[in-house]
Amino acid sequence: MTSSNYRLISFQSALSIALILLSTVFIGCIELVYGAESKSVQIMVDQVGYLPASAKIAMVTASAKTFEVKRASDNATVFKGELAAAIQDADTGDSVQIADFSKLKESGTYYLDVPGVGKSWVFSIRPDVFSRTYYLAMRAFYGQRCGTAVDLGSEFPGYTHPACHLKGEFHASSGKQGERDNVGGWHDAGDYGRYVVNSGISTGTVLWTWEIFGSKLKNIKLNIPESGNGTPDILNEARWNLEWMLKMQDEDGGVWHKQTSEHFPGFVMPEDDHLPSEVIGTGQQPYKSTCATADLAAVAAIAARVYSPFDAKFASQNLEAARKAWLWTEKYPNVAFRNPPGISTGEYGDDSCSDERLWATAELWRTTHDKMYNEYFVKHYPDYRLSLDVPAPEGWRDLAAMALWTYALGTVKGSDSTLIKEIRTRTAQAAHAIVESTRKNPYRVSLRAKDYVWGSNGVAASYGMELLVANALAPDPSFTEAALDNLHYLLGRNAFSLSWVTQVGDNPYRHPHHRPSGADKNAEPWPGLLSGGPNAGRQDNVLKKLPAGLPPAKVYADDQGSYASNEIAINWQASLVFLLAATLP
Ligand SMILES: [Zn+2]
């Protein structure tokens, strides 16, 4: 499945490849032959669709004057409109015209027909239009499960593998030796490592998804082994990773940073990766790291309140782990992690663990109402009050915003009401600024030129999450609309006219940097996985070979070898799930 070609979409014929190469230098109007239908990648729609009451906007990058929306079943025209004047977009280099068909509210399946340009991919308008995408995106976590056989069932025959990584052991850097029973968790990304820090933000985000949108989610069955056990499936799935995180805690309360092989395995199925799975520490006293320990404290504190109605014993196990982890971080407030000699898997390094500790203390306060956590939060809040003004591009490293938001979302008696007021105000101000820049962006995405970094699609989803948290704190319809805009971008309304979620939409990306997708015999990748997205940093050889001078939003290749632009990862997957959950009826 590997290819070094610069490809927007995978094509069979040399003619199509030639056409695509032309499109990269922006020549002419290109119409691609896709099956019997003629579809233009110069028309960008959300390939899943739009909510009936929300704005409905598409982009056209070929010069045209008018457009029609046609019903897919009989090609009847249901809406006619004029394209807005072209706007030059610096981030993509595209000249973009907006097609606004917001007035069309009738449920159905449609496509755009732009005379002289072609037809768009098919999309739907329905109140539950994103339900299937939510199901696939959330179920993708099940596909990442380690230490158990995985089978996506009759819906996706062939998407299966036997149990993997059943043996664990301590690496010398952990301060211990011998075997270690810690089967479980989610494979982090395209590789088979498991990292507490990235697990923290991912599991925390999934648990927040439940806390904020639980009423929409409680009856959604994910068809996972635990389905029907009386606990909502989103919590069943989160628990799989949480239990592994808890096992990464040592008796003294500290948490080892990660469990991976010494180096990345080849592109093999997980059960064929026989490199020892090792618990890796800092290599010297106290062996565990502060960021990992504080992350576990935060997530286990959330879990303690979230699981209490379903499994009181599990909830109290989490609370005990969270308190113990917090105490460890008081003793060791800043033990950073660096890969010890001989280890080359992901580092998730972080110079400051103070924001992780702030998040932990805020979640512990929200769960326990124990004054000492509030006192810590109030004392350290001034260091982070500005963190709401600038959204953090890499969620796993900068967690201060999570800390402040949870403090304000919690409404615990005894919380500092002045701080809560300030957090609400600053969050709303930041959200208004994001709305404004999103509206000005020709592709209606919140990303700015500097945001096209590693995992930029995750940054887009994080902007969406920030807008939705703002909406929870200070409701404003413009926040949810702009959050939806970021979802539309991920699902096809982007410069590539590509859905960045596998097996979703008419024209999804097909070559994720994801070992099971590369190593199995299935023609299509595992479903529901979000790609990392355009990355001007070009840290891999596929991106390095792209034409020089590409605008930042165009530095992307649908190529398995492009780990810097096409890898999947549980952290941006979690932000996608959060965004999708908000759209559900
Ligand atoms: Zn595994």
Side-chain angles (χ1 to χ4, degrees):
M1 292 179 73
T2 307
S3 165
S4 59
N5 290 328
Y6 175 40
R7 298 189 298 192
L8 305 181
I9 312 163
S10 179
F11 286 94
Q12 305 299 321
S13 73
L15 175 66
S16 296
I17 289 169
L19 283 170
I20 267 308
L21 286 172
L22 281 175
S23 82
T24 66
V25 288
F26 321 118
I27 295 174
C29 168
I30 296 152
E31 205 160 281
L32 300 170
V33 178
Y34 187 83
E37 295 272 328
S38 135
K39 308 280 188 186
S40 172
V41 294
Q42 292 187 298
I43 307 170
M44 293 77 172
V45 296
D46 182 322
Q47 294 168 29
V48 175
Y50 303 84
L51 295 170
S54 294
K56 294 164 206 77
I57 284 168
M59 284 86 195
V60 178
T61 55
S63 182
K65 292 219 169 351
T66 61
F67 71 97
E68 295 183 11
V69 181
K70 293 184 171 175
R71 195 158 52 210
S73 57
D74 59 1
N75 302 311
T77 300
V78 295
F79 186 91
K80 283 184 180 182
E82 286 186 13
L83 293 165
I87 311 167
Q88 195 61 33
D89 178 29
D91 295 351
T92 59
D94 290 348
S95 177
V96 181
Q97 289 179 272
I98 294 284
D100 187 341
F101 51 103
S102 301
K103 286 181 182 153
L104 176 61
K105 295 182 194 297
E106 195 186 328
S107 289
T109 303
Y110 308 97
Y111 62 89
L112 254 66
D113 191 342
V114 182
V117 179
K119 293 169 181 166
S120 76
W121 313 105
V122 167
F123 60 87
S124 295
I125 296 175
R126 282 202 326 263
D128 63 345
V129 68
F130 297 109
S131 293
R132 172 80 179 158
T133 311
Y134 168 82
Y135 169 82
L136 293 177
M138 192 56 223
R139 206 164 177 242
F141 285 104
Y142 167 64
Q144 293 295 101
R145 282 192 191 189
C146 185
T148 186
V150 167
D151 188 345
L152 297 192
S154 55
E155 231 182 323
F156 293 98
Y159 291 81
T160 176
H161 69 74
C164 55
H165 306 108
L166 292 172
K167 276 191 180 166
E169 63 186 42
F170 286 107
H171 184 259
S173 62
S174 70
K176 299 212 169 178
Q177 50 189 347
E179 286 193 2
R180 171 72 169 173
D181 163 35
N182 40 350
V183 165
W186 295 320
H187 297 141
D188 181 65
D191 66 304
Y192 296 131
R194 288 164 284 163
Y195 306 81
V196 173
V197 164
N198 205 38
S199 272
I201 182 69
S202 307
T203 315
T205 300
V206 171
L207 294 180
W208 273 32
T209 306
W210 166 257
E211 285 202 296
I212 296 178
F213 306 112
S215 60
K216 297 165 181 269
L217 308 175
K218 61 176 186 277
N219 296 322
I220 296 180
K221 209 175 148 201
L222 297 173
N223 296 319
I224 55 179
E226 298 80 5
S227 293
N229 67 357
T231 299
D233 270 354
I234 181 173
L235 298 184
N236 281 325
E237 191 50 54
R239 183 170 176 160
W240 185 265
N241 199 55
L242 201 45
E243 289 194 352
W244 168 77
M245 289 180 75
L246 292 170
K247 286 190 215 166
M248 290 295 280
Q249 185 172 38
D250 197 4
E251 282 154 17
D252 66 355
V255 178
W256 285 288
H257 198 76
K258 64 177 178 177
Q259 184 177 358
T260 72
S261 41
E262 292 188 357
H263 55 85
F264 290 123
F267 260 71
V268 296
M269 289 301 284
E271 69 278 15
D272 296 328
D273 171 23
H274 299 298
L275 298 171
S277 175
E278 305 190 43
V279 174
I280 294 166
T282 59
Q284 58 189 0
Q285 281 283 358
Y287 300 106
K288 282 77 63 178
S289 69
T290 308
C291 286
T293 306
D295 275 325
L296 176 81
V299 175
I302 308 171
R305 57 177 191 263
V306 161
Y307 289 90
S308 68
F310 306 104
D311 186 340
K313 200 176 152 207
F314 183 59
S316 58
Q317 184 196 343
N318 274 283
L319 187 55
E320 196 187 323
R323 285 186 186 274
K324 225 169 133 178
W326 170 257
L327 282 177
W328 192 93
T329 69
E330 292 221 287
K331 199 168 168 193
Y332 302 106
N334 218 353
V335 182
F337 179 85
R338 291 284 171 273
N339 264 337
I343 302 292
S344 62
T345 50
E347 185 169 82
Y348 289 106
D350 190 343
D351 292 331
S352 168
C353 299
S354 304
D355 50 317
E356 281 79 1
R357 295 192 71 213
L358 195 73
W359 185 31
T361 197
E363 297 290 7
L364 274 161
W365 164 241
R366 197 175 160 185
T367 300
T368 65
H369 306 185
D370 189 336
K371 266 192 248 168
M372 69 173 182
Y373 301 121
N374 190 40
E375 279 160 15
Y376 182 96
F377 181 87
V378 171
K379 185 176 167 203
H380 293 272
Y381 168 81
D383 301 342
Y384 290 100
R385 59 156 42 99
L386 299 180
S387 63
L388 294 174
D389 302 348
V390 187
E394 290 179 280
W396 57 268
R397 184 178 282 144
D398 296 307
L399 296 169
M402 296 286 279
L404 271 51
W405 289 334
T406 204
Y407 192 81
L409 287 166
T411 62
V412 180
K413 200 174 164 225
S415 287
D416 187 319
S417 57
T418 312
L419 295 198
I420 291 185
K421 203 175 157 201
E422 188 179 60
I423 293 166
R424 281 178 193 272
T425 307
R426 289 195 109 97
T427 303
Q429 277 169 353
H432 280 299
I434 296 170
V435 167
E436 205 172 309
S437 72
T438 308
R439 283 178 178 162
K440 278 186 196 150
N441 185 294
Y443 277 100
R444 302 283 171 104
V445 65
S446 303
L447 296 170
R448 295 154 302 170
K450 70 175 185 58
D451 292 327
Y452 292 95
V453 293
W454 198 310
S456 67
N457 281 347
V459 181
S462 293
Y463 275 115
M465 184 173 165
E466 181 171 2
L467 289 158
L468 292 167
V469 170
N471 189 60
L473 290 171
D476 186 321
S478 73
F479 298 167
T480 49
E481 276 295 338
L484 269 175
D485 280 329
N486 287 292
L487 182 62
H488 294 322
Y489 168 83
L490 298 175
L491 295 175
R493 229 174 54 179
N494 52 63
F496 299 91
S497 199
L498 201 60
S499 163
W500 269 313
V501 180
T502 48
Q503 298 210 34
V504 168
D506 274 356
N507 187 37
Y509 83 110
R510 297 185 63 226
H511 305 283
H513 183 87
H514 177 242
R515 281 169 173 72
S517 295
D520 69 9
K521 294 187 170 59
N522 302 308
E524 298 301 323
W526 285 55
L529 293 163
L530 180 64
S531 162
N535 175 6
R538 297 185 182 226
Q539 294 95 335
D540 64 53
N541 286 330
V542 177
L543 295 183
K544 283 190 175 93
K545 282 180 195 155
L546 295 184
L550 269 184
K554 286 268 177 80
V555 185
Y556 167 78
D558 182 13
D559 186 317
Q560 177 182 286
S562 183
Y563 51 84
S565 81
N566 217 28
E567 185 165 8
I568 69 100
I570 56 171
N571 56 328
W572 49 77
Q573 192 70 26
S575 305
L576 174 68
V577 160
F578 190 95
L579 207 43
L580 286 164
T583 70
L584 300 179

